């Protein structure tokens, strides 16, 4: 179209499927053409805290900027979001600072560069970094890494159970913590080749979720994705969740969807 790109946004941990872009290869292209590389690691960035999972973000050190949300996987208090910049020239203040004299007086007795409010269009936002600092001090790097690895272990266990149980079908093998699957009621099994199969299957997850909510047992997300009809997307981040809880989750889906 004759336009000149200046910015590339890679994703580490997509919202629905939990997919990771190949950051090293993307960084090579950005370096070759002088492009700003931003990595949206809001969901997957916490994998860096786990020695066994940090390979998913190989090459992230070459990014110009990174987004990370510790309130997601690490369960820091809502809201806790970080925007990290390689640039140290005061870029955020130059982009967003208004220098409003009624808020950010320049003749204060301390270093006015400490006024973080003039570096963000949100101005009055609470100090997200304090929540992360307190959590980090409380459990340490090893404790945060344990949270990530425990969540990953829960997904692996749930994956094994989904593969073992009749009527459950994976959307795809999970790359991270997002376990996406369909539950196929007995009335639809063996009808995959029929024209109406996928249309009917797309109504199953919403119906089961309604029954869950009316019963008061659980809430779980579902959504379509591209050409795929509605499927369940289960993500376990709470370290208090047990295998018995995960078994109950699948049992409940089977029970509530059996007669659909």
């Amino acid at each position: 179209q004759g336009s000149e790109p200046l910015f590339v946004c890679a994703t580490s941990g997509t919202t629905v499927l939990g997919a990771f872009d190949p950051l090293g290869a993307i960084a090579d292209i950005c370096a070759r053409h002088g492009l700003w590389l931003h990595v949206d690691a809001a969901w997957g960035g916490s994998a860096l805290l786990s020695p066994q999972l940090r390979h998913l973000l190989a090459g992230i050190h070459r990014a110009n900027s990174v987004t990370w949300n510790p309130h997601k996987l690490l369960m820091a208090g809502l809201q806790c979001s970080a925007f990290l910049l390689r640039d140290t020239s005061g870029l955020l203040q130059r982009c967003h600072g208004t220098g409003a004299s009624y808020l950010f007086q320049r003749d204060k007795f301390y270093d006015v560069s400490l006024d973080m409010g003039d570096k963000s269009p949100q101005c009055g936002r609470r100090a997200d970094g304090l929540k992360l600092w307190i959590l980090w001090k409380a459990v340490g790097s090893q404790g945060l890494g344990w949270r990530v690895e425990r969540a990953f272990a829960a997904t692996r266990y749930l994956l094994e159970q989904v593969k073992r149980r009749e009527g459950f079908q994976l959307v795809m093998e999970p790359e991270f913590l997002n376990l996406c699957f369909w539950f196929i009621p007995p009335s639809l099994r063996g009808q995959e080749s029929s024209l109406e199969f996928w249309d009917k299957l797309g109504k199953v997850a919403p119906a089961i979720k309604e029954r869950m909510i009316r019963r008061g047992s659980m809430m779980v997300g579902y959504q379509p994705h591209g050409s795929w009809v509605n499927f369940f997307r289960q993500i376990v981040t709470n370290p208090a969740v047990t295998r018995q809880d995960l078994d109950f989750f699948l049992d409940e889906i089977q029970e509530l969807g059996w007669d659909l």
Side-chain angles (χ1 to χ4, degrees):
Q1 297 177 348
S3 300
E4 183 176 345
L6 55 90
F7 170 94
V8 173
C9 181
T11 305
S12 292
T14 57
T15 302
V16 177
L17 300 179
F20 286 74
D21 282 330
L23 301 182
I26 295 173
D28 288 342
I29 295 172
C30 290
R32 191 180 314 139
H33 296 282
L35 301 172
W36 182 285
L37 173 58
H38 175 72
V39 177
D40 178 353
W43 168 227
S46 296
L48 282 173
L49 294 159
S50 163
Q52 71 182 51
L53 294 173
R54 63 181 49 156
H55 67 275
L56 293 169
L57 296 112
I60 196 171
H61 63 285
R62 299 173 63 186
N64 299 97
S65 56
V66 174
T67 304
W68 175 40
N69 288 353
H71 67 244
K72 293 181 177 174
L73 178 48
L74 299 183
M75 298 188 67
L78 275 170
Q79 177 172 332
C80 185
S81 298
F83 180 59
L84 309 173
L85 281 165
R86 180 182 298 278
D87 183 278
T88 59
S89 67
L91 182 62
L92 290 180
Q93 190 150 26
R94 287 190 282 116
C95 290
H96 302 303
T98 60
S101 60
Y102 58 90
L103 288 175
F104 308 110
Q105 299 82 9
R106 309 301 297 173
D107 56 355
K108 293 175 182 175
F109 67 91
Y110 58 81
D111 181 0
V112 295
S113 67
L114 299 174
D115 287 334
M116 302 300 290
D118 204 26
K119 299 178 182 179
S120 165
Q122 294 170 294
C123 188
R125 181 171 176 161
R126 296 182 180 182
D128 287 10
L130 179 61
K131 304 169 191 176
L132 177 59
W133 182 83
I134 291 174
L135 174 63
W136 215 320
K137 293 291 285 186
V139 304
S141 298
Q142 186 174 356
L144 293 179
W146 175 82
R147 289 192 178 193
V148 175
E149 289 167 4
R150 183 174 175 83
F152 190 72
T155 298
R156 295 294 106 183
Y157 175 78
L158 204 56
L159 173 64
E160 293 173 2
Q161 299 306 309
V162 164
K163 288 182 175 180
R164 183 175 299 160
R165 295 189 182 217
E166 186 178 6
F168 289 84
Q169 180 177 326
L170 283 177
V171 174
M172 61 179 295
E173 286 283 336
E175 186 174 2
F176 191 42
L177 305 182
N178 306 44
L179 186 65
C180 302
F181 63 91
W182 291 286
F183 176 72
I184 305 174
S187 66
L188 291 179
R189 293 174 193 172
Q191 300 183 30
E192 288 80 359
S193 60
S194 71
L195 296 176
E196 298 178 340
F197 174 80
W198 290 105
D199 182 59
K200 290 180 178 179
L201 183 60
K203 297 180 173 68
V204 170
I208 292 177
K209 180 165 185 176
E210 179 182 349
R211 291 181 175 187
M212 288 177 181
I213 293 175
R214 291 187 182 278
R215 177 181 280 193
S217 60
M218 288 188 305
M219 291 185 70
V220 59
Y222 71 83
Q223 67 282 303
H225 188 72
S227 61
W228 291 325
V229 299
N230 284 319
F231 53 84
F232 288 112
R233 173 171 58 97
Q234 176 67 326
I235 299 173
V236 179
T237 58
N238 190 331
V241 170
T242 66
R243 288 190 172 187
Q244 289 73 26
D245 295 325
L246 300 177
D247 290 337
F248 171 80
F249 165 70
L250 296 179
D251 291 341
E252 188 77 346
I253 289 177
Q254 283 182 306
E255 180 182 342
L256 296 177
W258 188 257
D259 62 345
L260 291 175

